[in-house]
Amino acid sequence: MWNGDALDLDAYLAHLGYAGDLTPSLATLRALHRAHVLSVRWENLEAVLRKHRPLDLPSVQAKLVANPRGGTCFEHVTLYAAALERLGFSFFVVQGRVRMGSTRIRPETHAMVIVELEGKRWLSDIGFGSSPLDLIELTDATDVSDGVWEYRLRRQEVSPGEEGWALYQPAGKRESPDAHTEVTADGWMVRHTFTLHRQYPVDLQVSNHFGASHPRSAFSDRVFLQRIHPDRLHLLDHRTLTTVRPGVPGPPESRELEPHEVPKVLTDIFGIELSAQDIELLLPKLA
């Protein structure tokens, strides 16, 4: 189903820096999840540059493993699911609606993996960019914290008349909340919602095409990158570079870049190296 036999597993694991046990256990899954989140970047540059993002495994593997590039959740899940399949895990893929506190109904544009292991189900959300560094068990009241990053998972109504799951994160300081922004009394907002409706590679192809090329996609024209560390998160939104450090008083560090600064920032901070041709395509879009 997910082309695990076609994956260069050794190259993938080397890219993650993972040399541990490969039996399909909870410990292995936790280690792979964390290694993937910290090693594989989130970026949408192919959509911005070419309005096209190949999702076949050879293309994804060549981009995310063989080259110093990253990808969106669809590319991450395509690669990660192939590895899980190859290693013998039982899992399925779902899609969700990214909310970030919004009460508006948005399309299902985020892919995740649900792993069934030891009689439980685990959310392995490796493709969000600022992804959780650990698995999240699917229970009605799961709270996860590693001392820096915190999340809540709750079962609730996720769209009119439909029950599902909502992943919450601390809301932080929002400069201009509006009538369509919802934050709980204790300062949490919904990051994304999802149901357990199973998705397949062909479904990801459809969502990936919308995300890369549709004019109403949030990421078809706007440069956006994320890189998470155990203690901080770097974001590049067009030319605004922001560093979020949970627990540090005051607003996040933020500065506006000049277009010519962006390629070096991509390399130095995000570990993304563009070819000279891609840089030439990118600079006019940042002007």
Side-chain angles (χ1 to χ4, degrees), residues 80-130:
Y80 186 67
L84 295 186
E85 186 177 76
R86 179 77 166 271
L87 294 171
F89 283 96
S90 176
F91 68 93
F92 57 95
V93 172
V94 299
Q95 290 198 73
R97 306 180 192 276
V98 177
R99 294 262 301 271
M100 300 306 291
S102 175
T103 58
R104 295 184 174 96
I105 297 179
R106 293 174 170 174
E108 293 184 339
T109 57
H110 178 52
M112 298 153 277
V113 177
I114 306 295
V115 184
E116 299 175 310
L117 195 60
E118 299 180 3
K120 299 177 180 179
R121 284 177 166 174
W122 303 86
L123 172 63
S124 189
D125 186 9
I126 46 81
F128 199 88
S130 55

Side-chain angles (χ1 to χ4, degrees), residues 2 77 81 91-95 111-114 195-200 204:
W2 294 97
V77 166
F91 68 93
F92 57 95
V93 172
V94 299
Q95 290 198 73
M112 298 153 277
V113 177
I114 306 295
T195 66
L196 298 185
H197 177 62
R198 297 179 184 234
Q199 301 287 288
Y200 301 97
L204 300 195

Side-chain angles (χ1 to χ4, degrees), residues 14-241:
H15 185 67
L16 302 189
Y18 181 77
D21 184 43
L22 295 179
T23 58
S25 66
L26 184 58
T28 299
L29 182 66
R30 276 206 159 100
L32 286 174
H33 173 105
R34 183 181 178 89
H36 184 108
V37 170
L38 292 174
S39 302
V40 186
R41 312 290 181 255
W42 198 104
E43 51 108 331
N44 70 326
L45 294 169
E46 286 304 303
V48 173
L49 298 179
R50 298 178 175 86
K51 297 293 181 288
H52 176 61
R53 196 165 48 216
L55 207 57
D56 60 283
L57 183 61
S59 296
V60 170
Q61 185 171 245
K63 182 179 174 217
L64 273 63
V65 176
N67 289 310
R69 289 288 304 275
T72 65
C73 63
F74 305 114
E75 294 164 284
H76 281 253
V77 166
T78 295
L79 180 64
Y80 186 67
L84 295 186
E85 186 177 76
R86 179 77 166 271
L87 294 171
F89 283 96
S90 176
F91 68 93
F92 57 95
V93 172
V94 299
Q95 290 198 73
R97 306 180 192 276
V98 177
R99 294 262 301 271
M100 300 306 291
S102 175
T103 58
R104 295 184 174 96
I105 297 179
R106 293 174 170 174
E108 293 184 339
T109 57
H110 178 52
M112 298 153 277
V113 177
I114 306 295
V115 184
E116 299 175 310
L117 195 60
E118 299 180 3
K120 299 177 180 179
R121 284 177 166 174
W122 303 86
L123 172 63
S124 189
D125 186 9
I126 46 81
F128 199 88
S130 55
S131 291
L133 296 180
D134 200 357
L135 308 170
I136 300 177
E137 185 181 354
L138 260 69
T139 71
D140 193 23
T142 299
D143 293 350
V144 175
S145 174
D146 61 7
V148 178
W149 305 104
E150 297 180 301
Y151 305 93
R152 291 177 176 176
L153 185 67
R154 298 292 186 266
R155 184 165 178 79
Q156 63 185 59
E157 185 177 72
V158 295
S159 57
E162 184 175 38
E163 290 288 311
W165 300 89
L167 184 67
Y168 286 77
Q169 69 177 52
K173 295 182 178 179
R174 301 181 64 87
E175 295 181 359
S176 55
D178 57 35
H180 298 287
T181 300
E182 186 174 72
V183 177
T184 65
D186 56 349
W188 292 75
M189 70 179 184
V190 175
R191 166 183 278 210
H192 59 67
T193 63
F194 62 95
T195 66
L196 298 185
H197 177 62
R198 297 179 184 234
Q199 301 287 288
Y200 301 97
V202 66
D203 299 307
L204 300 195
Q205 289 277 4
V206 173
S207 298
N208 177 64
H209 178 66
F210 171 86
S213 63
H214 197 281
R216 294 190 63 183
S217 165
F219 300 117
S220 64
D221 285 306
R222 178 174 122 240
V223 170
F224 197 76
L225 295 94
Q226 299 183 76
R227 183 178 184 182
I228 194 167
H229 295 268
D231 63 342
R232 65 193 184 281
L233 170 68
H234 296 296
L235 304 102
L236 181 64
D237 186 347
H238 193 56
R239 285 164 33 200
T240 303
L241 177 64

